[in-house]
């Protein structure tokens, strides 16, 4: 009897396996593309950029790139992954064809970007209709979070510059629709900026908000049903006035810098004016209080603006700032939402922290770096990244339930997309058999069943 020589079983390899499909779980993304009509919409949008007698459709190339990024790719060459599985992804273009398309789209300036964004907006409306009460607007309101992202550059790329964190790269401004506590979020804006772009540049926040609103269904592009949230980088007179402009009437919850005037006012707030802050479950938040500031502090700001301040005992190890008071961490935000308790409004603003989760997911989905040299090319790359993030948000929203709907991209890849399968062809049908022992086979099969029940586009 031979004794084992290690902790793992010894496996002999043969490279002639037939009908074996790697990344078989990625059929979830392919079916999401099919049911949403994303491939058809992008193909129609990019029809002007398809050359006569071209073998590969420009729209499919772009969607194939987005699928590669959704599966973990971070450069154009990673389209080799879907190309290696034609049974799942169909014919995929070669690397030179992909590069030529990116150059063609980049050379068209904003025309191609506008076409892609219009297609994404139309598909988003359709997906939200398919999702029903699981859509982010099911409660009658849509929340858009704006936040900046630092993308490091390890080589000399166009518009790369030193950042405020003393790194080197770019500083895009992103916008995400919040799906709430029961879901994740989806990107609706990506404004590529140099690394030295200012954090509180009002013009950039207005441009990013315009991009985000254009991605929403028409009824949410103005009015109180759309809430714009951002940190103190958006707390400028110009941006707040633009949000509250007559005819736009957007709701906002914008962080504010603690100025000396606010600091002195907070010191004079009587103890009776402070209200305990609350948690998402309605319980009192330990060691945190909120109060509304009035008087001349809001002079010169748009009519109806409310200024709410929170004081909280700093967490263990946290260092106090010069703007803190009496050993309490002080934060402040402005909103135009009336007739709601200030503790509820403060909780709503604090939940903006979910945008950090969306940024982490974006970094894991093609935004860790910008792989191309020219700014115009990297703008196209940002659109590809957003399509990938859309798919990673739409698939769970349409097909997954419970905790699985909250899984971030890395966990989706590790548990669902990486599952291998065996492809069997019977007549005109192709059947993908998954391993019975794989712990998440049930999640994959039930998700595919839910997608199959959705109507086909058109």
């Amino acid at each position: 009897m031979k004794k084992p020589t290690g902790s793992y079983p010894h496996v002999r390899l043969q490279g002639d396996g037939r009908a074996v499909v790697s990344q078989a779980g990625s059929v979830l993304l392919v079916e999401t593309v099919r049911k949403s009509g994303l491939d058809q919409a992008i193909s129609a949008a990019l029809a002007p950029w398809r050359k006569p007698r071209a073998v590969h459709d420009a729209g499919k190339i772009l969607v194939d790139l987005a699928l590669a990024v959704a599966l973990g790719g971070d450069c154009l060459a990673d389209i080799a992954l879907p190309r290696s599985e034609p049974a799942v992804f169909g014919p995929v273009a070669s690397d030179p064809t992909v590069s030529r398309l990116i150059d063609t789209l980049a050379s068209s300036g904003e025309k191609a970007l506008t076409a892609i964004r219009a297609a994404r907006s139309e598909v988003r409306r359709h997906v939200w209709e398919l999702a029903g009460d699981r859509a982010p607007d099911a409660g009658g309101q849509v929340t858009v979070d704006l936040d900046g992202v630092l993308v490091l550059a390890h080589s000399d790329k166009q518009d790369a510059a030193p950042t405020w964190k003393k790194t080197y790269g770019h500083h895009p401004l992103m916008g995400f629709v919040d799906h709430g506590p029961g879901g994740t979020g989806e990107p609706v804006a990506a404004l590529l900026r140099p690394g030295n772009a200012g954090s509180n540049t009002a013009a950039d926040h207005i441009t990013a908000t315009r991009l985000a609103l254009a991605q929403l269904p028409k009824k949410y592009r103005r009015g109180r049903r759309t809430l714009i949230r951002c940190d103190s980088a958006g707390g400028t007179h110009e941006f707040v006035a633009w949000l509250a402009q007559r005819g736009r009437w957007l709701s906002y919850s914008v962080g504010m810098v603690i100025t000396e005037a606010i600091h002195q006012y907070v010191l004079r707030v009587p103890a009776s004016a402070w209200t305990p802050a609350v948690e998402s479950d309605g319980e009192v938040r330990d060691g945190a209080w909120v109060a509304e500031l009035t008087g001349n502090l809001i002079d010169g700001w748009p009519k109806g603006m409310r200024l709410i301040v929170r004081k909280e005992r700093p967490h263990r190890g946290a260092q106090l700032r010069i703007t803190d008071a009496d050993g309490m961490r002080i934060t402040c935000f402005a909103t135009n939402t009336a007739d709601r308790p200030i503790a509820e409004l403060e909780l709503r603003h604090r939940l903006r922290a979910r945008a950090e989760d969306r940024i982490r997911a974006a970094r894991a989905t093609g935004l860790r770096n910008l792989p191309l040299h020219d700014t115009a090319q990297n703008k196209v790359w940002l659109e590809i990244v957003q399509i990938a993030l859309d798919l990673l948000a739409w698939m769970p929203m349409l097909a997954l339930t419970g905790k699985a709907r909250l899984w971030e991209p890395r966990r989706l890849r590790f548990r669902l997309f990486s599952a291998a399968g065996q492809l069997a062809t019977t007549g005109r049908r192709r059947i993908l058999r998954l391993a019975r022992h794989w712990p998440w086979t049930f999640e994959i099969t039930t998700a595919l069943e839910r997608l199959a029940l959705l109507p086909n586009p058109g």
Side-chain angles (χ1 to χ4, degrees), residues 38 41-42 45-46 49 62 109-125 173-174 187-192 207-208 210-217 221 375-376 378-384 386-387 390 394:
L38 179 65
I42 298 293
L46 296 185
W49 289 272
L62 208 71
E110 290 294 320
K111 291 183 179 179
L113 298 178
T114 302
I116 295 170
R117 291 164 183 164
R120 289 179 53 224
S121 175
E122 183 60 27
V123 174
R124 192 181 318 280
R125 180 194 61 78
L173 186 60
M174 304 285 293
V188 287
L191 179 64
L192 185 58
T207 301
R210 288 186 187 275
L211 292 175
L213 294 175
Q215 284 296 305
L216 304 180
R221 295 178 185 176
T375 296
N378 282 321
K379 285 182 178 181
V380 178
W381 176 259
L382 275 184
E383 294 301 317
I384 294 170
Q386 289 182 88
I387 295 173
D390 280 337
W394 293 342

Side-chain angles (χ1 to χ4, degrees), residues 3-274:
K3 293 183 179 181
T5 58
S7 302
Y8 298 94
H10 181 66
V11 178
R12 296 184 181 276
L13 299 180
Q14 291 183 347
D16 59 350
R18 297 180 180 178
V20 176
V21 178
S22 62
Q23 299 286 328
S26 58
V27 295
L28 289 168
L29 294 176
V30 174
E31 284 303 306
T32 302
V33 170
R34 191 195 319 277
K35 292 295 183 177
S36 66
L38 179 65
D39 53 341
Q40 300 175 25
I42 298 293
S43 294
L46 296 185
W49 289 272
R50 181 175 182 175
K51 295 183 178 181
R53 293 183 293 180
V55 175
H56 295 279
D57 179 78
K60 186 178 187 302
I61 295 175
L62 208 71
V63 175
D64 285 341
L65 278 169
L67 288 169
V69 172
L71 294 173
D74 60 3
C75 64
L76 299 182
D78 285 330
I79 199 173
L81 192 151
R83 188 189 300 126
S84 65
E85 295 295 349
V88 176
F89 299 98
V92 176
S94 64
D95 288 350
T97 301
V98 171
S99 297
R100 284 194 297 269
L101 175 65
I102 298 300
D103 290 340
T104 300
L105 297 179
S107 64
S108 70
E110 290 294 320
K111 291 183 179 179
L113 298 178
T114 302
I116 295 170
R117 291 164 183 164
R120 289 179 53 224
S121 175
E122 183 60 27
V123 174
R124 192 181 318 280
R125 180 194 61 78
H126 177 60
V127 170
W128 287 12
E129 290 177 355
L130 292 178
D133 59 1
R134 295 159 62 91
D137 65 337
Q141 187 174 57
V142 174
T143 299
V144 177
D145 292 315
L146 300 180
D147 210 344
V149 186
L150 292 181
V151 181
L152 302 185
H154 301 286
S155 61
D156 190 17
K157 301 180 186 296
Q158 187 179 10
D159 286 338
T163 71
W164 62 274
K165 278 196 173 182
K166 302 187 186 305
T167 56
Y168 183 78
H170 296 81
H171 188 191
L173 186 60
M174 304 285 293
F176 299 91
V177 169
D178 184 22
H179 283 200
T184 55
E186 53 193 273
V188 287
L191 179 64
L192 185 58
R193 306 186 299 170
N196 56 3
S199 297
N200 59 346
T201 304
D204 290 346
H205 279 77
I206 292 173
T207 301
T209 305
R210 288 186 187 275
L211 292 175
L213 294 175
Q215 284 296 305
L216 304 180
K218 275 191 175 182
K219 61 181 179 180
Y220 295 115
R221 295 178 185 176
R222 63 180 62 202
R224 290 284 190 259
R225 289 183 297 180
T226 301
L227 172 69
I228 306 297
R229 288 191 306 203
C230 62
D231 57 14
S232 58
T236 61
H237 282 78
E238 184 180 351
F239 182 53
V240 174
W242 184 87
L243 293 172
Q245 186 176 350
R246 184 179 182 87
R248 192 170 288 116
W249 302 121
L250 296 168
S251 297
Y252 60 82
S253 185
V254 178
M256 302 292 285
V257 175
I258 303 295
T259 63
E260 179 61 24
I262 293 176
H263 183 260
Q264 293 299 324
Y265 199 101
V266 170
L267 294 176
R268 298 194 299 268
V269 174
S272 59
W274 292 98

